[in-house]
Amino acid sequence: MHLLAGSSAGSLPVRSNETSNKKTIIHQLGKSKVWTANVNGRAVPLGTTDEGEATLRAQALVQTETPESKSLWRVYPLADRDGFCVKFYDRDGVRRTHRIPPDESVSCIEDAERYAASWYGRNVGSGSLTNSAASLSTDITFEAFGQLWTSGELAKRFPDHIKTKRSARNDDRRLQLYVYPAIGTQRLSRFEGKAGLDLVEKVMAGLPPVGRTFSRGSRRHILQSVHRLLVLATYPARLISVNPLPKGFLPRASSNRAKSFLYPAEDAALLACKNVPLVERLFFGLLAREGLRSAELLNLQWTDVDLDRGVLVLDRNKTNDPRSWSMDAGVVCGLKVWKAKFARSAKPNAKIIEDKNGAGIDRYMAASNLRDYLKLAGIERPQLFESNDQRIALRAHDLRATFVTVSLANGRTEAWVCDRTGHRSSQMLYSYRRQARMYAELNLGELTPLDQALPELLAAAAEMGE
């Protein structure tokens, strides 16, 4: 097993791989301060925010893992505390970790090997941990139960009460980074009453402080995942009698900091800047003109749009509330040209936001890329780039706010907006009304139609005679 090279910000070379020309690197993903290594294309958290310690752990991985070492399980000492863990492969070939509970009295590698052989036979066997009949026994650990949830196996087992989460990968990442290292080895049976609350508070105490790289929202999302797991453990899993987390436990959401939206001239300058990759400009332009969430647009396929009638059908979305609407005329024309000229060979189930080489968008870098591209396009309005206690710097998600603000300011009804954004009430749109009134008073008008705002689409349409 080799560590693979990457181009992420904050990358740190660890060691060269003599059997290939790739370099071993560790890096920090997004805003997280936890160092991560790329292992066979998968991000593996190293469990530390210290760069030197992360380097040593990555080197240890390189030294102990070889392409030939593909046994079903192996035992490793924990680098950051006393004890051992079992690394194993599930049915899908995904490498997972089971931390041996401290109360198993495993004090040496030989004891750990014996425990691992017994545990693997009981819980994984010839199938996988998630399919084991014993996987919901009373001795299941918090981490094992969490893996059942994020893998979708709990939803298969209890289809009447649990839905498969589309954001399960995000939950799994949060749990891997911040929760499992603290309480993953604890049996769920220990999460009863005050003892359970104390264990969760241990997670809270270990979270990074709120600051520029770790928001209140991040803190809340992590603990929401823990809360949800304990709800499921109460019912339908019936592993504990009562959820130990009281009402009001979850930290408050982020404070109501000021957010920004783009003016039409700024949007036009961004989309016209040829130094920005075309597929990225198409992505930003569609967000601001159709009100989609970033994840919805990134998952949008050609089968989801009827370009002959100008209809967009969004069956897969965050709220599991299918919706459809008539797209903006400039978007319809722009997508026709994009498909004919830049995605000619795309299959019906291909994603729309991909260039001819299959390159798409890194959703986790979209916000910082957007701000960098605005500067590249000559946009200097300070409010777009400030991030402090009073204001949030412009994010890709705020292009959805641009859509709502521009639409309300130009006379669209709230119902018209909600049909496209999926907002379910007027209250959810309340925060946009003040901005919309200011926008209308400034008489800023509409955004430039997409097919005219992107020079490449305009030139291609002229070449095609459209």
Side-chain angles (χ1 to χ4, degrees):
M1 187 174 292
H2 294 289
L3 294 177
L4 304 180
S7 58
S8 178
S11 297
L12 178 69
V14 177
R15 152 182 168 180
S16 295
N17 183 340
E18 297 178 356
T19 60
S20 70
N21 293 323
K22 298 175 181 176
K23 291 182 179 180
T24 298
I25 61 102
I26 61 174
H27 58 131
Q28 293 173 303
L29 292 180
K31 295 182 179 179
S32 172
K33 289 189 175 181
V34 177
W35 285 93
T36 303
N38 282 342
V39 181
N40 284 348
R42 294 182 63 245
V44 178
L46 296 172
T48 180
T49 57
D50 181 81
E51 188 174 297
E53 179 64 24
T55 303
L56 292 176
R57 294 184 188 182
Q59 288 174 338
L61 276 176
V62 174
Q63 292 164 3
T64 57
E65 295 293 334
T66 66
E68 292 76 22
S69 61
K70 290 189 175 181
S71 60
L72 296 178
W73 56 265
R74 294 186 68 184
V75 170
Y76 296 89
L78 293 173
D80 54 346
R81 62 181 71 87
D82 293 336
F84 300 88
C85 67
V86 182
K87 294 186 181 294
F88 65 97
Y89 290 92
D90 67 11
R91 178 183 53 188
D92 299 320
V94 177
R95 195 167 189 249
R96 298 190 178 278
T97 301
H98 166 71
R99 294 178 177 83
I100 300 177
D103 53 6
E104 290 290 341
S105 301
V106 173
S107 58
C108 63
I109 196 72
E110 291 78 12
D111 290 343
E113 293 279 356
R114 285 191 290 271
Y115 170 91
S118 174
W119 176 87
Y120 187 88
R122 290 195 320 271
N123 295 288
V124 185
S126 59
S128 70
L129 177 67
T130 56
N131 277 348
S132 171
S135 60
L136 288 186
S137 62
T138 56
D139 65 347
I140 188 172
T141 64
F142 188 94
E143 182 172 355
F145 188 70
Q147 290 175 353
L148 288 175
W149 179 48
T150 55
S151 68
E153 291 298 325
L154 276 185
K156 294 177 183 178
R157 185 177 295 233
F158 304 107
D160 291 337
H161 300 93
I162 303 175
K163 292 182 179 179
T164 301
K165 280 197 73 177
R166 293 190 178 89
S167 59
R169 289 181 61 188
N170 296 336
D171 290 303
D172 184 56
R173 178 164 178 74
R174 294 183 189 112
L175 293 168
Q176 291 279 359
L177 284 173
Y178 302 108
V179 180
Y180 295 156
I183 62 173
T185 60
Q186 300 293 332
R187 291 186 174 90
L188 268 173
S189 58
R190 296 197 59 194
F191 285 80
E192 293 277 6
K194 183 179 181 300
L197 182 58
D198 290 343
L199 286 170
V200 178
E201 287 182 338
K202 181 180 177 182
V203 174
M204 293 180 67
L207 293 178
V210 173
R212 294 191 63 182
T213 59
F214 194 82
S215 68
R216 292 186 183 277
S218 297
R219 189 178 183 88
R220 181 178 173 88
H221 284 148
I222 292 164
L223 294 170
Q224 276 179 326
S225 298
V226 175
H227 184 274
R228 179 58 177 161
L229 271 176
L230 292 174
V231 168
L232 297 177
T234 306
Y235 191 85
R238 303 177 70 173
L239 295 170
I240 55 177
S241 58
V242 178
N243 184 348
L245 304 183
K247 183 178 180 181
F249 164 81
L250 287 175
R252 62 185 177 89
S254 299
S255 57
N256 190 27
R257 292 189 288 171
K259 303 176 183 67
S260 302
F261 63 92
L262 288 183
Y263 296 149
E266 294 167 338
D267 170 86
L270 172 65
L271 299 194
C273 182
K274 291 188 176 181
N275 290 326
V276 178
L278 177 57
V279 68
E280 303 242 21
R281 283 181 282 145
L282 177 70
F283 173 67
F284 296 136
L286 286 172
L287 286 179
R289 285 159 179 78
E290 293 297 332
L292 293 154
R293 297 179 178 90
S294 296
E296 292 172 345
L297 179 53
L298 290 176
N299 290 322
L300 200 67
Q301 301 174 357
W302 285 110
T303 53
D304 298 323
V305 294
D306 181 347
L307 297 181
D308 293 329
R309 298 172 179 81
V311 175
L312 189 153
V313 179
L314 193 67
D315 290 340
R316 302 177 299 278
N317 57 73
K318 177 181 176 181
T319 57
N320 292 316
D321 182 17
R323 60 189 193 271
S324 60
W325 64 89
S326 174
M327 292 183 288
D328 177 78
V331 168
V332 176
C333 293
L335 288 180
K336 285 181 178 179
V337 176
W338 172 256
K339 185 174 185 181
K341 188 69 176 178
F342 301 96
R344 185 178 305 170
S345 59
K347 297 180 179 179
N349 61 347
K351 293 180 179 178
I352 292 176
I353 304 299
E354 285 183 348
D355 63 17
K356 60 184 178 182
N357 298 318
I361 305 291
D362 181 351
R363 61 175 296 192
Y364 298 105
M365 296 298 295
S368 59
N369 285 346
L370 172 59
R371 295 189 291 271
D372 290 342
Y373 293 150
L374 285 169
K375 292 177 182 178
L376 193 62
I379 307 302
E380 299 177 349
R381 181 156 60 102
Q383 291 80 6
L384 299 177
F385 309 104
E386 291 177 358
S387 182
N388 49 47
D389 292 340
Q390 291 76 41
R391 178 172 291 277
I392 298 176
L394 186 75
R395 306 159 298 172
H397 184 74
D398 293 323
L399 296 179
R400 179 172 156 92
T402 299
F403 168 80
V404 176
T405 301
V406 172
S407 299
L408 293 176
N410 284 282
R412 269 73 169 194
T413 66
E414 291 183 356
W416 186 94
V417 171
C418 290
D419 286 344
R420 288 152 176 78
T421 61
H423 289 108
R424 295 182 175 180
S425 68
S426 296
Q427 186 64 31
M428 297 177 75
L429 297 179
Y430 178 80
S431 61
Y432 299 104
R433 292 175 185 161
R434 182 182 299 173
Q435 288 185 336
R437 288 195 295 271
M438 181 197 73
Y439 190 102
E441 290 172 0
L442 293 175
N443 196 27
L444 296 175
E446 300 269 10
L447 299 179
T448 305
L450 184 69
D451 59 327
Q452 299 176 33
L454 293 167
E456 293 89 342
L457 297 190
L458 191 61
E463 181 183 324
M464 295 163 55
E466 295 190 2

